[in-house]
Amino acid sequence: MEIIVVTGANRGIGFALTRVLLTNGKTVVAICRRPEESSELKQLAVLHPEGLDLIKCDVSREEELVEAAAVTQKRHGKLDVIFNNAGIMPEGGDESILKIDLGLLRLAYETNVLGAVRVIRAFYPMIARSERPRILNVSSGLGSISAKDDYSYYAYSISKAALNMLTRAVAHEFAAHGVTTVAISPGWVRTDMGGEEAQLSPEESALSLAKAIDGIGPDLNGQFLDRHGRIGEYSW
Ligand SMILES: NC(=O)c1ccc[n+]([C@@H]2O[C@H](COP(=O)([O-])OP(=O)(O)OC[C@H]3O[C@@H](n4cnc5c(N)ncnc54)[C@H](OP(=O)(O)O)[C@@H]3O)[C@@H](O)[C@H]2O)c1
């Protein structure tokens, strides 16, 4: 039975993926800041009392993640996948670099990059013992430097580009231990972040992401994948 940590599991893509993974028979350690406020997540916990483990945790707090990893170790004794999904887009999108509040850039980096670093550091000792360890960092087409052709979403784009570099470097560091680390884009999804105009429902994105989690292995280590787990759509 595979055990998967999903951060930001209370809404959007994280919640939809949690539901699909549970349906597929996986055990999900669902990390979110306020599980008590997500009635959907609580309903899911009732439906899957064995499969869903809710842990209250903010990815910007290292001590909470260390505690979450200790609890996971105690309850499950192992971990196979880290799905680094929690993320923010703190800006309007049309700001000029001359005027944008630097606090927005710090905020995006804090959650989208350092949050992922903290999750990896806290759970790595467990994942390193898995037979098929995988780390998926949820990136975005907006994090692609080569595809950048405007100046929208400075804070978010810069942070996702940094997450991509983190992914590539971590992939090199952990390769010798058999860990597969990738950046993966969920597509443009109708969530609070993606907005109503987006192409995909959270469920459509989650169904493909769940298959990608199943399918990826060392041959894809260090790659920037689409939601199906394929190379080609996204360039660094
Ligand atoms: N939607 C898209 O079209 C799209 C496209 C490309 C990439 N992505 C990426 O996909 C991921 C999920 O996006 P989404 O569309 O599902 O966004 P969303 O609906 O805004 O959900 C974001 C999730 O991240 C959580 N989160 C934010 N900061 C956190 C923190 N400090 N600690 C713990 N959890 C935190 C939120 O929890 P709270 O409820 O507590 O705020 C929420 O569960 C993000 O990394 C995003 O950048 C999305």
Side-chain angles (χ1 to χ4, degrees):
M1 175 80 72
E2 284 205 324
I3 307 194
I4 301 175
V5 162
V6 177
T7 64
N10 56 309
R11 61 188 168 98
I13 295 163
F15 175 75
L17 179 66
T18 296
R19 189 158 52 189
V20 171
L21 292 172
L22 289 167
T23 305
N24 291 352
K26 314 282 185 187
T27 296
V28 179
V29 176
I31 292 209
C32 54
R33 291 190 276 200
R34 290 174 287 271
E36 67 284 356
E37 287 177 19
S38 174
S39 53
E40 283 184 307
L41 207 49
K42 284 195 286 189
Q43 274 173 15
L44 215 50
V46 173
L47 286 175
H48 300 273
E50 302 297 321
L52 180 57
D53 194 2
L54 295 184
I55 300 190
K56 181 181 167 70
C57 184
D58 186 323
V59 300
S60 54
R61 295 177 185 268
E62 187 144 30
E63 70 286 358
E64 290 186 9
L65 281 161
V66 169
E67 176 62 21
V71 168
T72 304
Q73 171 65 38
K74 202 169 166 190
R75 289 184 191 159
H76 306 284
K78 70 164 212 155
L79 182 66
D80 302 293
V81 178
I82 295 172
F83 194 81
N84 249 328
N85 167 76
I88 57 167
M89 180 185 259
E91 65 233 290
D94 58 354
E95 293 86 350
S96 159
I97 197 63
L98 302 177
K99 291 194 176 157
I100 190 169
D101 177 356
L102 294 185
L104 297 180
L105 274 72
R106 284 195 197 94
L107 209 57
Y109 196 84
E110 179 61 44
T111 302
N112 298 350
V113 186
L114 299 186
V117 171
R118 291 187 194 95
V119 173
I120 291 169
R121 281 153 64 123
F123 287 98
Y124 183 74
M126 288 185 71
I127 208 174
R129 296 195 296 273
S130 166
E131 284 173 15
R132 268 190 75 209
R134 282 148 286 163
I135 299 172
L136 292 92
N137 294 326
V138 180
S139 186
S140 163
L142 295 181
S144 167
I145 291 176
S146 51
K148 191 75 177 164
D149 58 4
D150 62 21
Y151 62 88
S152 66
Y153 297 103
Y154 271 110
Y156 183 78
S157 302
I158 292 170
S159 72
K160 290 295 183 180
L163 180 71
N164 285 351
M165 178 57 85
L166 170 74
T167 301
R168 192 81 173 193
V170 165
H172 282 293
E173 180 174 356
F174 295 162
H177 304 282
V179 181
T180 298
T181 307
V182 298
I184 190 162
S185 170
W188 187 23
V189 189
R190 291 189 293 278
T191 62
D192 293 338
M193 184 186 294
E196 290 172 3
E197 302 297 312
Q199 293 157 338
L200 300 167
S201 69
E203 291 68 31
E204 285 171 300
S205 175
L207 283 167
S208 51
L209 290 169
K211 281 190 189 158
I213 291 171
D214 274 345
I216 64 165
D219 55 317
L220 292 173
N221 191 37
Q223 299 294 337
F224 188 1
L225 307 177
D226 67 16
R227 67 191 170 96
H228 302 286
R230 298 180 303 216
I231 306 172
E233 184 174 349
Y234 296 97
S235 52
W236 298 110

